[in-house]
Amino acid sequence: MTIAENAPPRTAPKTPRPLLIQGGMGVGVSGWRLARAVARTGQLGVVSGVALDVVLARRLQQGDPGGDLRRALAAFPFPDIAARILQRYHVPGGLAPGRPYRPVPKLGLRPHPHRTELTVAANFAEVFLAREGHDGPIGVNYLEKIQMATPAAVYGALLAGVDYVLMGAGIPSEIPRLLDTLAAHRPAEITVTVAGAESDRRHTTGIDPADLHGATRPAPLKRPDLLAIVSSDVLAAYLARRPETRPDGFIIEGPAAGGHSAPPRGRLRLDETGQPLYGPRDHPDTGKIAALGLPFWLAGGYAGPEGLQRALQSGATGVQVGTAFALCRESGLDEHLRRRLLTGAADGTLTVRNDPDASPAGFPFKVADLPGTAAAADVYTTRPRLCDLGHLRTPYLKTDGTVGYRCPAEPVATYVRKDRPESDTTGRRCLCNGLVSAIGLAQHRPDGYTEPPLLTLGQDLAFLADLPADHTAADVVAGLLGTRRAERTAP
């Protein structure tokens, strides 16, 4: 099968590109309410596509207050699947306080119909709700690192009519073909990196849409644009050089951006606070990126009109902003945590560290140092180590030739038994549980232990001084664009 067989043609956008992209954040921080609020202003609202299977299952177990998820599932094109998900997870009135959530299947290479159905439906529901009631653009953000979820997650987003797919934390070279193929409802797969596997042995994961829709193939879906999130002009040039790997644009993310960031090029050096040191090589050449002929947006420290002006002068189409939206009213953050972050930022007591060890993914990760969260040393050391969600666990080849899974945030003895050094586990936080807890979906263990939250923000917080004390998404957009909205000339 050729790359574009029976896929919708890729054409120039019919509407101007947005000046502003609201970044995909955390697990559910950039949820459908936030993305919808941004899209209503005409800018690109983005939902996070990470761990939406967990988010859907737990919100249904909370009773689905307001009925939004049940409304989305009622629009899901496969009603039998929606019915099975509701039967399995929906708890009318919600679980009693302190009751554990029912688990969802872990990601893996072996086919698992229930896991696939849940992932497809969860991504459909999030994008469907984000697109309700307006005609603004909606995107979904994925991590290339979480490869085993990607095909099913992307298909669900396509079913809901997503306009953009954003992907970082890796090299999304296979995603253009994935989008082409899934838009035509054809079987699709991507390569999964398996540690220790021979280079000539390819491990894959995929989805066959016919398993969901049956023998009659539906009409082709709209093929969304792919925006690759990269940190260097070298990687941008690599992706742009061939049609089969070329995205439709780039987001160039600098070291100050929240969440995961690329490590410094060359040998890792730390400053006196233990944070990675970045140098001139870590700042991409925007002239070289502009010469590729694709639109690009700059991210990380551009949350203000001056930042937008700098980006436009460098040849960028606009900017991506995350932290300002993470702290707005429509954010998916737990409301108590959001207000604590705002208070700490306002009085100067909040610090955000670029921690080289916190993430099991191996990338530096921005950690907001808020007492009582998993960022605090006392909370980290007393948390029982376990890996029961597993979105960041890594497949590896065992000595018997089968594939196993490991995560440096799992129990130390368990990790060491999988032929890895104990030093890998030092300082590793369980991002899966911590980020889910940050949006009010903390797991309650049978022994009474409740998972603590983990929070991430960008390191540039100066923009907050120019926003209302309890700002909205529209406030952020207005503050960034102001009168610049009328100066827009090129797509």
Side-chain angles (χ1 to χ4, degrees):
M1 181 179 67
T2 61
I3 292 173
E5 182 181 352
N6 288 329
R10 296 169 65 178
T11 58
K14 295 182 177 61
T15 57
R17 299 287 189 181
L19 271 175
L20 173 61
I21 297 175
Q22 164 254 306
M25 297 173 287
V27 174
V29 173
S30 54
W32 62 266
R33 289 181 176 86
L34 173 57
R36 187 171 67 179
V38 174
R40 280 176 167 162
T41 72
Q43 303 306 312
L44 178 55
V46 178
V47 298
S48 170
V50 177
L52 282 176
D53 52 347
V54 176
V55 174
L56 175 64
R58 292 192 179 181
R59 293 214 188 281
L60 287 175
Q61 290 173 81
Q62 287 184 333
D64 184 27
D68 296 305
L69 293 174
R70 281 169 289 168
R71 185 175 70 257
L73 289 175
F76 189 55
F78 313 122
D80 290 348
I81 294 175
R84 286 195 290 272
I85 291 171
L86 288 170
Q87 183 179 21
R88 186 175 183 87
Y89 293 110
H90 183 234
V91 178
L95 291 170
R99 287 286 304 276
Y101 291 110
R102 185 173 188 169
V104 304
K106 284 186 179 180
L107 296 176
L109 288 176
R110 289 184 178 180
H112 193 298
H114 170 61
R115 181 181 66 219
T116 297
E117 291 179 354
L118 182 62
T119 302
V120 173
N123 282 263
F124 171 89
E126 196 76 6
V127 174
F128 173 88
L129 292 171
R131 295 185 70 238
E132 269 190 322
H134 63 89
D135 58 1
I138 290 293
V140 60
N141 184 88
Y142 298 114
L143 300 182
E144 199 276 338
K145 176 75 174 177
I146 309 180
Q147 296 166 332
M148 292 180 289
T150 298
V154 167
Y155 186 57
L158 264 64
L159 287 170
V162 74
D163 299 296
Y164 290 84
V165 169
L166 293 68
M167 183 168 285
I171 304 175
S173 58
E174 297 185 9
I175 305 305
R177 174 171 13 190
L178 182 74
L179 296 177
D180 290 340
T181 308
L182 288 180
H185 302 283
R186 289 192 170 274
E189 65 179 20
I190 61 170
T191 303
V192 174
T193 302
V194 176
E198 298 292 335
S199 58
D200 59 351
R201 183 181 178 187
R202 183 172 179 248
H203 293 266
T204 64
T205 188
I207 184 173
D208 185 351
D211 292 338
L212 305 178
H213 63 64
T216 303
R217 186 181 301 168
L221 300 167
K222 176 182 67 178
R223 195 270 195 194
D225 282 353
L226 171 65
L227 302 183
I229 304 173
V230 299
S231 61
S232 74
D233 51 89
V234 175
L235 179 52
Y238 168 79
L239 291 172
R241 68 178 180 170
R242 295 188 301 160
E244 57 265 36
T245 63
R246 184 181 300 128
D248 300 284
F250 294 103
I251 296 169
I252 313 300
E253 200 168 75
H260 289 98
S261 58
R265 300 179 70 182
R267 184 175 62 88
L268 177 64
R269 295 181 301 119
L270 305 179
D271 65 14
E272 64 279 3
T273 66
Q275 300 182 79
L277 283 168
Y278 291 87
R281 296 175 62 196
D282 301 304
H283 297 279
D285 187 326
T286 55
K288 291 182 178 179
I289 294 171
L292 298 174
L294 295 171
F296 67 95
W297 291 257
L298 299 182
Y302 291 89
E306 297 82 7
L308 176 58
Q309 178 65 28
R310 283 188 286 115
L312 295 176
Q313 289 175 347
S314 74
T317 303
V319 299
Q320 175 180 278
V321 173
T323 299
F325 290 112
L327 296 173
C328 76
R329 290 183 204 169
E330 297 91 344
S331 163
L333 280 173
D334 173 84
E335 181 62 12
H336 176 65
L337 292 173
R338 184 181 75 89
R339 290 187 176 276
R340 287 183 63 195
L341 289 170
L342 281 170
T343 299
D347 63 21
T349 60
L350 178 66
T351 60
V352 179
R353 291 181 294 113
N354 193 18
D355 193 322
D357 300 318
S359 174
F363 295 101
F365 186 78
K366 309 299 188 312
V367 177
D369 284 322
L370 204 64
T373 70
D378 59 332
V379 176
Y380 166 68
T381 55
T382 57
R383 177 189 178 269
R385 293 181 73 109
L386 77 164
C387 181
D388 59 344
L389 293 180
H391 283 74
L392 289 175
R393 63 181 187 163
T394 301
Y396 74 100
L397 198 65
K398 299 195 291 187
T399 55
D400 62 2
T402 61
V403 173
Y405 303 91
R406 62 193 179 204
C407 176
E410 68 187 353
V412 175
T414 302
Y415 185 75
V416 171
R417 284 199 301 270
K418 298 172 181 177
D419 298 321
R420 296 302 299 164
E422 182 175 339
S423 58
D424 284 0
T425 67
T426 303
R428 301 294 187 190
R429 265 68 173 173
C430 179
L431 262 60
C432 296
N433 275 293
L435 295 178
V436 170
S437 176
I439 59 171
L441 296 176
Q443 179 64 289
H444 302 277
R445 308 291 172 193
D447 62 0
Y449 182 81
T450 300
E451 285 286 357
L454 184 67
L455 301 164
T456 180
L457 293 173
Q459 292 184 293
D460 176 17
L461 301 175
F463 63 87
L464 287 171
D466 298 322
L467 289 171
D470 189 20
H471 63 276
T472 66
D475 290 330
V476 177
V477 173
L480 278 160
L481 302 184
T483 58
R484 295 206 58 84
R485 193 185 304 268
E487 298 178 24
R488 187 68 195 282
T489 58

